[in-house]
Amino acid sequence: MADEPRGLAKTGLTDTGDFAIESVECRCAPGKWSPPESAARYGIVFVRQGCFHRRLNGRESFVDPTVVYFERPDDEQQIAHPGGGDSCTALYLSETLLSSVWGGEPGLPDEPVATEPTTDLQHRLLLTLIASSDDGAVADAVVAATAAVLAQASPKRVDAGRPATALARRRVVAEARELLVENPGATAIELASHVAISPHHLSRVFKAETGQTISRYRNRLRVRLALERISEGEACLARLAADLGFADQAHLARVVGNELGLPPSALRRRLVRG
């Protein structure tokens, strides 16, 4: 995208070490090619609105909201706008996370990739999840969006490494569930690292085995653990939220309310023993 003099504004939305997400706004009049700029990270860029021409290592392409494009370390790009500027979401991935999704080695396609409407919806839902402060759900959504985009370019690379047998898949899911009981706030990325498969494959086999996404299962488990703690007389909901991996007490109340229809304070009045 363009440089600062051309009206570029970047807003960091989240940064976990495994991934970072920025909202990028460029407001500029039609102009010539921007000065060459080199990327520093691996990135997947979703265009929310607007369009522009992009020159990557001397090769030109046209970018609009129907495609995503990619940034790779040391690639040199230039941008030229027909007018009006653009709004984008940039998803930057660590080499470790990217390798786990992209067949074992870091890398991204050379050319922009056309996306399905469902993939763009995943991108929009990801932005909504960031606002909710649910780190586990955000990590799960990042993995899903990354896999969906890269599968458009090379489905075989994304499918590489899936557990080959039903027994292997059951063992992987059992290990992930065991870790979730020990650490209810663990993300799909952390779980996948523990069981030594890609987070994308873990998400798929987990849903196949349990009938639930990791995010849904995590919340249902945390609500049950919260009920036990509340029944035992836990007086501090902020401490309970922290222990169970919620962002804060409000996040705990929201998830419990969604699952049970009652806030933790009301449950405490009904459940405290003695």
Side-chain angles (χ1 to χ4, degrees):
M1 283 160 282
D3 56 5
E4 291 294 345
R6 291 171 62 87
L8 184 73
K10 297 183 179 181
T11 303
L13 303 178
T14 187
D15 189 344
T16 69
D18 289 310
F19 59 86
I21 302 174
E22 294 179 347
S23 177
V24 184
E25 304 283 343
C26 183
R27 295 293 173 260
C28 56
K32 300 178 181 179
W33 289 103
S34 65
E37 51 185 323
S38 296
R41 305 181 273 183
Y42 288 102
I44 300 173
V45 184
F46 298 84
V47 183
R48 300 195 303 271
Q49 62 178 358
C51 62
F52 49 91
H53 298 271
R54 182 179 187 238
R55 182 182 287 164
L56 176 66
N57 301 328
R59 186 171 181 174
E60 294 182 19
S61 59
F62 181 74
V63 178
D64 65 15
T66 69
V67 302
V68 298
Y69 71 92
F70 306 95
E71 297 181 355
R72 301 170 302 189
D74 300 324
D75 275 351
E76 189 174 81
Q77 68 173 358
Q78 294 173 275
I79 300 296
H81 286 89
D86 62 84
S87 301
C88 299
T89 303
L91 168 58
Y92 296 106
L93 304 166
S94 70
E95 289 193 12
T96 299
L97 177 56
L98 179 57
S99 297
S100 72
V101 179
W102 193 230
E105 295 182 1
L108 287 170
D110 297 316
E111 298 289 335
V113 171
T115 57
E116 298 292 332
T118 52
T119 305
D120 190 60
L121 177 60
Q122 284 180 306
H123 154 231
R124 306 286 177 160
L125 292 174
L126 171 58
L127 298 179
T128 301
L129 286 171
I130 292 172
S132 74
S133 300
D134 189 337
D135 294 341
V138 170
D140 298 351
V142 164
V143 170
T146 299
V149 167
L150 295 182
Q152 292 294 113
S154 181
K156 289 184 178 180
R157 285 192 67 165
V158 174
D159 282 342
R162 183 174 185 268
T165 67
L167 177 59
R169 292 191 288 274
R170 287 196 296 271
R171 285 176 175 170
V172 161
V173 172
E175 287 183 36
R177 292 173 66 182
E178 180 181 343
L179 181 60
L180 278 170
V181 173
E182 296 174 359
N183 178 14
T187 68
I189 296 170
E190 293 166 337
L191 294 172
S193 177
H194 179 77
V195 301
I197 66 170
S198 84
H200 169 57
H201 290 316
L202 176 60
S203 296
R204 294 178 67 182
V205 300
F206 194 98
K207 186 172 183 180
E209 289 293 322
T210 68
Q212 304 170 62
T213 65
I214 293 175
S215 290
R216 174 67 171 159
Y217 185 91
R218 182 192 300 112
N219 281 342
R220 296 189 71 183
L221 174 62
R222 289 193 291 187
V223 167
R224 282 156 177 76
L225 296 174
L227 285 174
E228 179 63 14
R229 290 274 295 274
I230 291 171
S231 297
E232 292 175 344
E234 174 61 69
C236 180
L237 295 180
R239 179 172 57 236
L240 178 61
D243 289 348
L244 296 182
F246 291 100
D248 51 32
Q249 185 175 330
H251 184 202
L252 165 69
R254 184 167 65 250
V255 172
V256 170
N258 289 340
E259 286 287 328
L260 302 176
L262 290 171
S265 55
L267 291 170
R268 183 165 53 189
R269 289 193 295 271
R270 299 179 63 175
L271 292 176
V272 171
R273 299 164 187 164

